[in-house]
Amino acid sequence: MDISSPAPAYLRAYDEQLRARPVPGRTAERVGPVLRVVSDGYGQGFLTYRDLGGLDGAELDAFIAGQRDFFTGIGRPVEWKYHGYDLPVDLPGRLTAAGFEAEEQETVMVGEAAALAASPALPEGVRLREVSGRADLERIREMEELVWEADRSWLPDLLERDIAGPGDRCAVVVAEAGERVVCAAWMRFHEGTDFVSLWGGSTLKEWRGRGVYRAMVAYRAGLAVARGFRLVQVDASDDSRPILARLGLEAIATTTPYVWVPPTV
C-alpha cells in the first residue's frame, strides 16, 4: 500500500471495529478464536474472527474439522471468511483439505461517507426509494432471481428480519423505472463503530452502465452521513471494484469465502 494512502488506517479500523463483530439477529457463540454464527431457521452459517491466536498445524486441522462437523450435524452449509493477510499462510490449503471450497475472491473497500454522498445522478425516469414492506421485498426477490438465475426465496425473510432488528439497523433501497425494480441494495449501520456496510447492488442487465449502481452508493452514503457514520465499507466483486475505486474507495484487503456444504443439503 502507498504510504500516502489512507488504506492502512482504514485496515486498522476495519480489524478493530468490524472483524468478529456479532451479526445482529443471529445466534452466535465464541468457539476458541472464532465467532460461530448460525442463522436462525434458514441459510448458511458463518465463521469469522480477528485472528486465530496462533492456532496452527494439527491443532488447526482438528479445529477446522470440528467446525465442519458441527454444521454437518445441524444440516447447514457454512462459510469460513478468509482474509488474504490471515495466518497461517497455508490456511487456504488446510480449509480445502477439510472439504471447504473456495468461492470468488472479493476486495474489501473503504471510503469516506461524506466524500461519497453526492446527489445521486440517475437516468431519466429512474427514482430511488427506501422500502420496508413485504410486497417491495418480494419485488426485490423477483429482480434478484432474474439477475442471478437462482433461487432467492430466502431473501425477503432475511431483509424483513434485518429491518426489524434487533441490533444494527438495516436500510433497503430500490431503484425503480416506472413500476419495475431495476436495482436493489441495502446497508447496515454498525452501531458503536465508524462504519456502515453496503450490500446488494444487483442491477438488471439492460440498466447496467447507466449510473444506477453509482447513484445507489451515493444515496446510501448520504444516509450514513445523516446518521453520523464516517466510513463506508463494501465487499466488492470484480465487477463493482472498478466503479467503487473511481468513486474514491480504497482497497484494503481481499477476502475469499470458503464454503462447506453438508452432503445432505
Side-chain angles (χ1 to χ4, degrees):
M1 295 180 184
D2 184 343
I3 60 171
S4 65
S5 166
Y10 289 161
L11 180 59
R12 287 193 298 272
Y14 173 81
D15 273 345
E16 292 169 1
Q17 298 181 36
L18 289 189
R19 287 200 68 175
R21 180 179 173 83
V23 180
R26 310 293 193 273
T27 298
E29 60 179 333
R30 179 68 57 183
V31 182
V34 167
L35 188 68
R36 185 165 67 195
V37 180
V38 180
S39 297
D40 298 339
Y42 66 91
Q44 73 177 17
F46 297 90
L47 298 166
T48 186
Y49 49 90
R50 182 171 175 182
D51 62 63
L52 292 176
L55 199 61
D56 201 352
E59 188 179 6
L60 176 56
D61 291 338
F63 182 79
I64 293 170
Q67 303 317 304
R68 177 199 64 200
D69 294 347
F70 171 84
F71 282 94
T72 299
I74 63 173
R76 300 278 188 87
V78 59
E79 175 188 312
W80 183 300
K81 190 176 181 68
Y82 166 75
H83 289 68
Y85 55 95
D86 285 347
L87 297 175
V89 294
D90 63 354
L91 179 57
R94 294 180 182 276
L95 290 167
T96 301
F100 287 75
E101 294 188 5
E103 296 190 339
E104 290 187 13
Q105 180 177 279
E106 296 180 321
T107 302
V108 182
M109 304 188 76
V110 176
E112 299 286 336
L116 297 168
S119 297
L122 286 163
E124 184 176 354
V126 175
R127 64 168 181 164
L128 302 184
R129 183 167 63 94
E130 190 172 342
V131 301
S132 58
R134 184 71 187 203
D136 285 319
L137 302 184
E138 291 291 347
R139 294 170 68 224
I140 292 171
R141 173 190 61 77
E142 292 171 3
M143 183 276 299
E144 289 257 344
E145 290 181 341
L146 285 174
V147 170
W148 298 106
E149 298 181 342
D151 176 61
R152 290 291 190 271
S153 59
W154 47 267
L155 184 58
D157 285 343
L158 183 148
L159 293 176
E160 192 170 58
R161 186 166 69 175
D162 284 354
I163 291 167
D168 297 344
R169 180 170 178 265
C170 174
V172 180
V173 181
V174 294
E176 296 171 310
E179 296 300 315
R180 192 178 196 194
V181 174
V182 301
C183 179
W186 46 99
M187 64 190 299
R188 293 188 176 89
F189 302 88
H190 298 291
E191 298 296 337
T193 80
D194 295 323
F195 287 91
V196 300
S197 57
L198 306 187
W199 302 86
S202 299
T203 307
L204 291 177
K205 185 176 181 180
E206 60 269 33
W207 285 93
R208 294 172 197 164
R210 300 172 66 178
V212 177
Y213 179 78
R214 293 192 298 275
M216 279 286 208
V217 172
Y219 183 88
R220 288 177 290 166
L223 295 179
V225 172
R227 290 165 174 77
F229 290 86
R230 184 174 70 87
L231 298 176
V232 169
Q233 179 264 322
V234 187
D235 286 350
S237 68
D238 287 345
D239 289 336
S240 58
R241 176 177 174 169
I243 301 171
L244 294 168
R246 287 195 294 272
L247 292 176
L249 281 83
E250 296 274 349
I252 64 168
T254 60
T255 66
T256 304
Y258 281 82
V259 177
W260 164 256
V261 180
T264 55
V265 174

